[in-house]
Amino acid sequence: VEQRSAGGSVLRKLLYTMIVVSGLASMVGAGTYASFNAATQNASSTFSTGSLVLDRNVAATTCWSFGVAASTDDNANSSCAAVVDLDRVKIGDSNTVDIILKNGGSLPGTLSFGAVAACTSSANPGVNWTLGTGDMCTNTAFVLQEWSAGFSSAMSTCAYPASGVSGCSFTTPATLTANATPPSPAVGATPGLPLASSPQTLGAIAAGASRYFRMTFVLPTGVSNELQGRRAQFQLTWSLV
Amino acid sequence: MMTLERPADGPGKPEEEAAARNLPILFVDPDPPGRRRKRYQPKHALEQPVRADRTTLWVFLILFLTGGFVAGTTAAFSASTTDSGNTFGSATLSNPAGQTIALASNTLSLGITAFGGFDGAPAVTYGARWRYMWPTGVSTTGSSIGCSPTTSSYTNDLADSATSSTSITYTGLSGFADGRWMCVMAHTAYPATKPAAPAVQWYSQKDNPNQAVQLGHVVQSVNLLDVGGTANRLQQNDKIVITFNQPVDSGSRPTSGMVCARSANERIYVGLASCSSNDPASVSAISLYPTSGVTLSTNGSYNTTWAWSVDGKTLTITLNTNTNVNVNGCAVGTSCFRVRMSKTANPSTALESATVPKRNLCIATDDENFDNGSCEPFATGSF
């Protein structure tokens, strides 16, 4: 009899605990459900979802997050064209890429970017000879500058890497080396390319809005001859969450 | 208003009675007291909780669990685009073509005829760089030293130019000595003008042209030609051809002199006014002395004809008389004589370089020279 009483007590305690927890959970969700009013009778109730769609436009070509399926069931498109594809860069050369990111969905979101994996450096097969052994990832500099609509004027701050100067500066650029301490490097360290697993946020974007970024890659004037005939390879992910 | 209860034994239904009395029905007890169902009671102390308790438990359990699923589903909205791969690759700078090196007094003039471009593209306005190295070998006969084709072997900077040519003074180079051979490699340079540090230039790294040059003002080679007909015999028409590494000043070129073979001291003196001199070495700038085991059979005196090449670098002396001095112990085709240079008493400036500042001919006993031999090459050929 004592055992039964103890078992029943446990069960009752568990039951009461769940009742209390469920009650509290419903209170937490009150914000979501508070607008439902039982006093009025709806002809029909609708619970519909919004959408997040990212349009990445480079060189007048748009790549949608939903890909070619025109469905957001798979809203992560990994088949977009390269942002940069160069194999004849000389010392001191720079290359700029204009990127327009549009929130093509109906919900506001936050933009971010990062590399899928760490940049890799290897011999460039497209050149006359490959004798160099330099690390192209470590020695390639880049900045990400946001511009006003139509790329008419640069914003006052640098999107990446953050700097105290007005706009992006190649005095303290980032490199293509993966960040050791994502999403931002330690103070005083040369910033690298953030990884998509710990992406660099680019701030909010309203539904239907576009933001304009100019990515500039530079092979600095101080890189040694070991960088001849080398290449850096990396994949960039632009995310909207 | 009334509360109706089903009478225990009454004939009418409560609903009907209420309707008959025009009263609202508030509650109808489906189970009158007399017929109320008994609540289930466990028959044993260890029996499981009643069905109603378990049902309530399951309802709350489902609500509890599904609440979490809803929250997770909401957080998964996202959109992303990923490119298939970016490439940022560097070019390679090609080698220049047509390296030229000219030596004049203390100056080296360096040039190329064409710049290399990036990966086959034509060069626009690029620069040139020259580096040097000291080869390990020594040329004993005046033939050019073989230079390394490996770019990384050339570690010493010689000159830079934003154009295809430049000139430098070589006498201040570390390791310089009269007669020493130096290997020079030309590179295409980009950008054309060497920038201030920390900026650097890129240089062509492969297939760069290289060339050897003998520094100073020296007799680079001596060639003996047997035109007289009998091997190892100094005969009429035999020739002594002396080549200098840079032009000899036209005002200090001797144009006549005798060739004197002296068996006593095993020397062949070149350029004496007379073979009767007691000390021909004091006035002869050039002499040939036999190598080990080689001897002269007797003394001989030869009138000669001297002829200089147009560029002033080659002197050809032809024997015009025939006294038949034999060279013993010399295998045909081997080097049986070595050149020995000495200063002439009159004029003292004999055989100076043509270009100002006029440079004295390297003399092994007086001048610094590399390996004590580059000013005294072995003669090739034989009489």
Side-chain angles (χ1 to χ4, degrees):
Chain A
V1 172
E2 290 176 0
Q3 289 178 341
R4 178 189 180 279
S5 299
S9 175
V10 170
L11 179 63
R12 280 194 300 276
K13 288 179 180 177
L14 175 62
L15 183 60
Y16 294 151
T17 301
M18 295 182 67
I19 291 171
V20 170
V21 170
S22 299
L24 291 174
S26 65
M27 292 174 67
V28 172
T32 304
Y33 306 111
S35 63
F36 289 107
N37 191 339
T40 60
Q41 183 174 1
N42 301 308
S44 63
S45 296
T46 301
F47 187 75
S48 60
T49 60
S51 63
L52 287 176
V53 174
L54 180 61
D55 303 350
R56 192 212 69 176
N57 185 292
V58 174
T61 300
T62 298
C63 184
W64 290 273
S65 58
F66 50 73
V68 296
S71 164
T72 55
D73 289 352
D74 183 5
N75 208 20
N77 186 356
S78 60
S79 301
C80 295
V83 171
V84 58
D85 186 10
L86 299 171
D87 66 355
R88 292 289 191 278
V89 178
K90 303 187 293 292
I91 183 174
D93 278 359
S94 64
N95 180 266
T96 60
V97 182
D98 288 344
I99 304 166
I100 304 172
L101 299 176
K102 180 180 180 180
N103 182 354
S106 58
L107 297 174
T110 300
L111 285 172
S112 64
F113 87 105
V116 174
C119 170
T120 59
S121 176
S122 60
N124 185 354
V127 295
N128 281 352
W129 44 266
T130 52
L131 297 175
T133 57
D135 189 332
M136 198 69 174
C137 298
T138 303
N139 287 282
T140 300
F142 83 95
V143 295
L144 184 65
Q145 173 71 60
E146 185 167 10
W147 288 65
S148 60
F151 294 97
S152 57
S153 60
M155 297 295 193
S156 59
T157 57
C158 187
Y160 192 81
S163 64
V165 301
S166 178
C168 292
S169 168
F170 272 98
T171 303
T172 54
T175 72
L176 294 179
T177 304
N179 265 341
T181 53
S184 297
V187 174
T190 301
L193 183 61
L195 292 174
S197 55
S198 300
Q200 173 69 36
T201 182
L202 299 174
I205 183 170
S210 295
R211 291 177 63 186
Y212 299 78
F213 294 94
R214 177 165 291 169
M215 205 165 196
T216 303
F217 299 90
V218 171
L219 192 56
T221 57
V223 299
S224 72
N225 283 275
E226 293 181 345
L227 270 297
Q228 288 193 54
R230 303 291 290 170
R231 70 174 177 181
Q233 290 181 292
F234 54 99
Q235 282 180 281
L236 291 177
T237 292
W238 306 88
S239 298
L240 177 61
V241 294
Chain B
M1 181 173 65
M2 64 175 292
T3 299
L4 299 179
E5 290 188 353
R6 190 179 302 276
D9 299 316
K13 296 179 180 179
E15 295 90 335
E16 294 172 349
E17 182 182 355
R21 295 168 63 182
N22 196 26
L23 294 173
I25 300 173
L26 293 182
F27 175 71
V28 176
D29 186 356
D31 294 316
R35 295 186 291 159
R36 183 159 299 182
R37 283 180 271 179
K38 291 182 178 179
R39 188 177 182 87
Y40 178 81
Q41 295 296 324
K43 297 180 176 61
H44 190 277
L46 299 178
E47 193 172 358
Q48 294 295 317
V50 296
R51 178 181 301 274
D53 289 343
R54 289 201 300 270
T55 301
T56 305
L57 175 63
W58 282 113
V59 168
F60 280 107
L61 182 62
I62 291 170
L63 288 174
F64 184 77
L65 294 177
T66 55
F69 290 147
V70 169
T73 303
T74 303
F77 281 131
S78 66
S80 67
T81 66
T82 301
D83 51 60
S84 53
N86 299 290
T87 299
F88 193 71
S90 60
T92 58
L93 190 55
S94 299
N95 57 281
Q99 180 176 216
T100 58
I101 301 177
L103 185 72
S105 183
N106 299 332
T107 301
L108 270 180
S109 296
L110 309 166
I112 55 174
T113 57
F115 297 107
F118 277 98
D119 296 303
V124 184
T125 304
Y126 296 160
R129 177 184 73 163
W130 290 268
R131 305 190 97 184
Y132 72 96
M133 63 174 290
W134 302 111
T136 54
V138 176
S139 173
T140 58
T141 60
S143 60
S144 179
I145 291 287
C147 292
S148 170
T150 305
T151 298
S152 59
S153 298
Y154 294 77
T155 56
N156 306 302
D157 289 327
L158 185 61
D160 292 282
S161 175
T163 64
S164 61
S165 64
T166 190
S167 60
I168 60 122
T169 299
Y170 61 81
T171 50
L173 296 177
S174 175
F176 161 74
D178 284 285
R180 191 171 191 182
W181 286 86
M182 180 172 71
C183 288
V184 179
M185 177 172 277
H187 308 71
T188 305
Y190 178 89
T193 302
K194 194 168 189 174
V200 298
Q201 281 178 305
W202 269 6
Y203 306 109
S204 52
Q205 300 289 307
K206 189 168 183 275
D207 299 331
N208 292 313
N210 61 80
Q211 187 174 335
V213 58
Q214 191 177 21
L215 303 179
H217 178 42
V218 297
V219 171
Q220 194 166 62
S221 65
V222 175
N223 191 21
L224 306 179
L225 300 177
D226 178 20
V227 185
T230 302
N232 284 331
R233 177 176 294 175
L234 277 72
Q235 295 174 284
Q236 187 175 7
N237 296 323
D238 284 353
K239 297 179 185 300
I240 303 170
V241 180
I242 302 171
T243 301
F244 300 83
N245 69 330
Q246 57 178 300
V248 174
D249 178 43
S250 59
S252 64
R253 296 173 190 171
T255 57
S256 65
M258 296 190 71
V259 169
C260 307
R262 298 293 175 130
S263 61
N265 51 4
E266 303 293 356
R267 292 290 176 90
I268 299 174
Y269 298 100
V270 178
L272 299 181
S274 168
C275 290
S276 62
S277 171
N278 291 328
D279 186 11
S282 65
V283 294
S284 176
I286 305 170
S287 62
L288 303 175
Y289 60 97
T291 54
S292 178
V294 177
T295 60
L296 301 177
S297 62
T298 184
N299 291 341
S301 300
Y302 299 85
N303 295 322
T304 58
T305 301
W306 295 51
W308 285 89
S309 63
V310 174
D311 64 3
K313 294 177 66 175
T314 303
L315 168 63
T316 302
I317 301 170
T318 304
L319 307 185
N320 291 332
T321 54
N322 194 349
T323 55
N324 295 332
V325 174
N326 293 326
V327 179
N328 299 323
C330 177
V332 175
T334 61
S335 296
C336 298
F337 293 92
R338 191 167 190 178
V339 175
R340 178 69 184 270
M341 306 303 303
S342 60
K343 290 181 179 177
T344 58
N346 183 25
S348 60
T349 57
L351 302 173
E352 284 182 329
S353 66
T355 307
V356 176
K358 293 180 179 178
R359 188 170 181 83
N360 290 332
L361 191 65
C362 172
I363 297 173
T365 54
D366 291 352
D367 298 326
E368 290 185 5
N369 64 93
F370 179 70
D371 199 32
N372 195 32
S374 294
C375 286
E376 298 180 330
F378 287 87
T380 59
S382 58
F383 290 109

